[in-house]
Amino acid sequence: GGMPPDMLQKLMANPELMALLQSPKMQEAMKLMMTGGQSALEKAMEEDKEVYEIVTKLNEVMEGSL
């Protein structure tokens, strides 16, 4: 699994994405996903609008940079 290195470089070069990844909410979401998986993240997205927005934004930025 994992990401191809060129894709990772593209993502790292995106200032908007880096700002998102460094936000405390995103850190929280990443931790949740590592411990509880996708379902835990989806639950957090339902319960916390900020988590929802940050994950949605992250997905948009990632799709846009592919």
Side-chain angles (χ1 to χ4, degrees):
M3 279 185 215
D6 58 329
M7 184 176 146
L8 196 58
Q9 278 178 326
K10 257 186 200 168
L11 297 177
M12 301 290 275
N14 184 322
E16 191 181 11
L17 185 66
M18 294 316 290
L20 276 177
L21 291 174
Q22 287 163 0
S23 83
K25 275 289 176 192
M26 194 64 207
Q27 305 277 326
E28 204 178 295
M30 296 293 240
K31 246 184 245 157
L32 261 177
M33 203 164 155
M34 284 178 210
T35 56
Q38 188 69 32
S39 59
L41 183 65
E42 284 168 10
K43 188 172 190 286
M45 286 171 71
E46 284 171 24
E47 293 171 358
D48 189 332
K49 191 166 171 48
E50 213 179 324
V51 171
Y52 175 82
E53 286 171 4
I54 223 161
V55 172
T56 304
K57 183 86 178 149
L58 181 68
N59 288 336
E60 286 170 7
V61 170
M62 284 178 73
E63 284 171 18
S65 60
L66 298 182

